[in-house]
Amino acid sequence: MADSVTMAPIVRSSVLTCAADQAAMQPWIDMECFQLGRGKTVCRMETIDLGNQQVVHEDQAASVQKIGKTPANLCTLSYCTPDQAFRFSDQGINHPDTVFFLPEHTCFDLYVPAGTRTTYISFDQAAFIRGARILNPRGWEEAPETIRSWTTPSKGGLAADIMAFTDQAAPERGTPCDNAMIRDLLLQSALQVAAQSEGFEGLSRAARARAFAVCSLARAYIESCVESDRLPTIVDICAATGVSQRRLQYAFHEYIGMSPNTYLRLLRLNRARAALAAASPRQTTVTRVAMQHGFLHFGRFSGDYRRIFGETPSVTLAACRRN
């Protein structure tokens, strides 16, 4: 029996055509992904599993929203290609050396535009915080309880180390890796980034934070409606959040780069796609699923569905029969 310490890391690479699969490839974090941009291909993704540590690269082909929560004792350090539209909860990015720290038990809400490449490493939080406190006692005296971002020149060194490891982990190289050694090397590289986090920079504007607060309330209300099979209107959402339609419009443009009506329609399209993918063609029809999700104009539903997901609703439903 092979020693689990010296076993090669588990590498998975996929071109994904469904946002739900993007979430499924990261089972260590509870999350949902919603496709908000057009395209048959959603993401090109690579995950490297080192046991209690993972490295994930995602090249986003279509814009998505990721919503979830980290489990106990798992934290992540991440970075991405600079894009003013990118949003990590209420944090933005305005510098190529920006990094993000996501602690355990933390809800997150990301908007990742098409064309963005994101990379993150997950760590045992207790080990990460223990090392960070040694290197920077003042900055890490208390473990962060919210998402933090800062800029550091050490981000380039971390990115280079991750890329070198990713190349070595490629299956075609066939070179056995000492997982324990690799985990320690990547942790030490990440801790150099943490050591330069004095006075965590608040990169988000006050307006972005206010918009995020309004839209978080709106999302919670929308989800409660979906769970009770109700379709909320903009009037309902304004009443639930206590803001005017104009302020709601502004907040959503800051939050996700689109109007609340457009966002609500895209969420319903994603829910309809999930229902079609899980249904049996013998037990339901595209028309029935469309109606259940508030789409009464079937021609428009089919056209919007194809523009966003790159296939017709009937193709999604028929795929269940093939599987």
Side-chain angles (χ1 to χ4, degrees), residues 3-318:
D3 185 347
S4 60
V5 172
T6 58
M7 285 176 61
I10 300 172
V11 182
R12 296 184 176 90
S13 299
S14 296
V15 176
L16 305 176
T17 59
C18 180
D21 293 337
Q22 193 169 348
M25 281 190 69
Q26 303 165 78
W28 46 86
I29 298 179
D30 181 23
M31 79 169 118
E32 283 189 289
C33 291
F34 302 99
Q35 183 177 342
L36 302 183
R38 299 180 182 182
K40 174 68 172 176
T41 298
V42 175
C43 180
R44 294 172 177 83
M45 186 171 178
E46 183 175 49
T47 66
I48 305 171
D49 188 349
L50 290 162
N52 64 348
Q53 186 173 300
Q54 293 82 27
V55 178
V56 178
H57 302 289
E58 296 170 287
D59 290 292
Q60 210 62 53
S63 301
V64 297
Q65 183 180 23
K66 303 179 183 180
I67 298 172
K69 184 177 182 179
T70 48
N73 202 35
L74 183 146
C75 65
T76 69
L77 197 68
S78 62
Y79 54 87
C80 69
T81 51
D83 190 317
Q84 290 295 323
F86 175 85
R87 176 183 53 72
F88 199 146
S89 292
D90 63 349
Q91 303 286 309
I93 182 168
N94 59 5
H95 193 283
D97 286 337
T98 299
V99 293
F100 300 91
F101 178 78
L102 175 65
E104 65 175 356
H105 297 308
T106 302
C107 295
F108 59 86
D109 180 338
L110 283 85
Y111 173 65
V112 187
T116 304
R117 178 177 174 84
T118 59
T119 297
Y120 77 80
I121 318 177
S122 69
F123 297 101
D124 176 301
Q125 178 161 310
F128 186 93
I129 297 296
R130 185 164 55 246
R133 283 174 179 160
I134 293 172
L135 297 179
N136 182 355
R138 186 170 67 174
W140 294 86
E141 181 179 2
E142 298 293 334
E145 296 182 353
T146 60
I147 297 164
R148 300 290 184 86
S149 65
W150 66 97
T151 60
T152 170
S154 294
K155 178 256 183 179
L158 175 63
D161 287 347
I162 291 174
M163 189 54 63
F165 164 63
T166 300
D167 289 342
Q168 289 299 322
E172 60 268 18
R173 294 195 180 270
T175 304
C177 295
D178 184 330
N179 280 5
M181 180 183 70
I182 292 298
R183 285 197 301 266
D184 186 61
L185 289 173
L186 290 179
L187 174 61
Q188 298 311 311
S189 185
L191 288 174
Q192 291 303 310
V193 173
Q196 299 180 33
S197 60
E198 196 71 34
F200 294 103
E201 291 185 31
L203 299 181
S204 62
R205 295 175 297 156
R208 183 189 289 270
R210 289 194 296 269
F212 181 75
V214 169
C215 293
S216 293
L217 285 174
R219 268 204 56 83
Y221 175 73
I222 291 168
E223 290 295 338
S224 69
C225 290
V226 170
E227 289 176 3
S228 57
D229 295 324
R230 291 186 295 120
L231 296 174
T233 67
I234 295 301
V235 172
D236 294 332
I237 297 171
C238 286
T241 56
V243 300
S244 67
Q245 182 175 1
R246 182 176 180 180
R247 185 177 171 192
L248 189 70
Q249 293 272 2
Y250 171 79
F252 266 87
H253 278 287
E254 283 290 312
Y255 174 70
I256 210 81
M258 62 185 66
S259 72
N261 273 321
T262 300
Y263 179 72
L264 186 57
R265 186 173 184 84
L266 285 168
L267 281 187
R268 289 191 287 122
L269 281 169
N270 276 266
R271 297 295 190 193
R273 190 184 196 198
L276 287 167
S280 166
R282 300 184 188 90
Q283 297 175 346
T284 193
T285 64
V286 170
T287 299
R288 180 179 299 173
V289 171
M291 291 185 66
Q292 287 172 344
H293 291 83
F295 296 102
L296 303 181
H297 192 303
F298 305 131
R300 185 183 175 195
F301 167 71
S302 182
D304 287 349
Y305 190 102
R306 185 170 186 171
R307 277 191 293 274
I308 296 299
F309 303 123
E311 65 184 25
T312 63
S314 58
V315 167
T316 304
L317 181 60

